[in-house]
Amino acid sequence: MVAPQSINILVGEGNGVRTVTCQDLAFVSEETVAADSNMFDRAAGESFAWRANDIKPGDWRVTVPEDVLAELDGLARALSHYEGPIEELTPASFELSATAELMARVGDRIDRGIGFALLDCLPIERWDEHTSKAVAFLVTSLLGPVVMQKWGGTRVYDVRDTGAAMGHGVRRSITNLAQEFHTDGSWLTETPEIVAMTCLRQAASGGASRVANLANVHNILRARHGELVPE
């Protein structure tokens, strides 16, 4: 039986404001932490603080048009014999004008829409695994620089059930356990702005991705526990 698999990619280097993370705290004063804090100090607007019942598939689903599919098939053919590191590939080395236009629309959905988008869909069934990862990396790179998500510098991370049991030093992402809500790359000096995932093999059951709206959580926190949120 082939295990379901996806890859995880983090994009961007924050919003230009230094975020103090746990590994920094031993080296800075409380005053520095307060000065560097970028906590949102007002209620988020309704367009951002949505609930599940407020949105519809058209708000987040982006259909991949035929010209982009043709462009990506051409890209896959060009990459079919590439055996080098995926992270060394750059979009500028390929003709991706239609894909760049599509990803600009995706970026707009993320920045000015509801904050997430689903590409429907990349034809990965036509490509081998290495090519699929390379295509996903290049497509994601059109949103911004791809940053590391492990101390060793890994920028494309496999999420798959390896049969490992949960224990010390074992990531949930290599087990068959569900993931709790979390922030990817929260340990980085500047938290990535976008998390991109590409499904390479869908699970026979389970494996659904959940999305939580932190803007709505922020508003609820202000309403119920205002003492925890600065005015």
Side-chain angles (χ1 to χ4, degrees):
M1 179 178 178
V2 179
Q5 178 185 2
S6 62
I7 56 174
N8 203 50
I9 302 174
L10 306 184
V11 177
E13 297 183 11
N15 55 9
V17 179
R18 176 170 168 76
T19 303
V20 178
T21 54
C22 57
Q23 67 265 30
D24 297 314
L25 294 182
F27 308 102
V28 297
S29 66
E30 292 183 3
E31 290 77 12
T32 302
V33 173
D36 283 350
S37 175
N38 194 35
M39 182 178 288
F40 196 64
D41 60 358
R42 58 191 179 278
E46 291 184 3
S47 60
F48 293 102
W50 48 263
R51 295 173 180 251
N53 292 336
D54 300 330
I55 60 176
K56 55 187 182 300
D59 294 325
W60 45 266
R61 189 185 299 274
V62 179
T63 301
V64 181
E66 290 298 325
D67 59 339
V68 174
L69 292 175
E71 196 169 75
L72 294 180
D73 274 331
L75 174 63
R77 287 192 295 272
L79 293 170
S80 60
H81 300 295
Y82 178 76
E83 298 179 352
I86 291 174
E87 292 88 348
E88 292 184 1
L89 296 169
T90 61
S93 301
F94 305 92
E95 171 49 49
L96 294 174
S97 56
T99 307
E101 183 178 337
L102 173 68
M103 295 310 290
R105 287 165 39 207
V106 170
D108 189 67
R109 294 275 185 112
I110 295 171
D111 292 337
R112 299 177 179 82
I114 62 174
F116 72 96
L118 172 71
L119 278 180
D120 185 19
C121 58
L122 301 183
I124 58 173
E125 70 279 357
R126 302 204 284 255
W127 314 327
D128 61 43
E129 181 176 316
H130 187 72
T131 300
S132 296
K133 289 182 180 181
V135 170
F137 179 82
L138 287 166
V139 170
T140 303
S141 297
L142 292 169
L143 291 172
V146 176
V147 300
M148 71 175 184
Q149 51 186 307
K150 292 180 69 175
W151 286 116
T154 299
R155 289 191 285 164
V156 179
Y157 177 72
D158 285 328
V159 178
R160 73 168 91 194
D161 177 12
T162 64
M166 195 65 200
H168 179 71
V170 177
R171 283 189 169 193
R172 278 179 174 262
S173 52
I174 63 170
T175 74
N176 64 356
L177 298 175
Q179 288 270 27
E180 300 297 331
F181 285 119
H182 61 282
T183 299
D184 278 4
S186 59
W187 50 271
L188 292 168
T189 301
E190 293 181 335
T191 305
E193 295 178 351
I194 301 171
V195 177
M197 297 193 72
T198 301
C199 181
L200 300 181
R201 285 190 296 272
Q202 190 169 355
S205 62
S209 294
R210 299 180 298 162
V211 177
N213 185 348
L214 287 183
N216 190 43
V217 172
H218 171 83
N219 284 357
I220 293 173
L221 188 62
R222 281 177 58 88
R224 297 181 183 177
H225 302 283
E227 73 280 3
L228 300 178
V229 182
E231 294 293 339

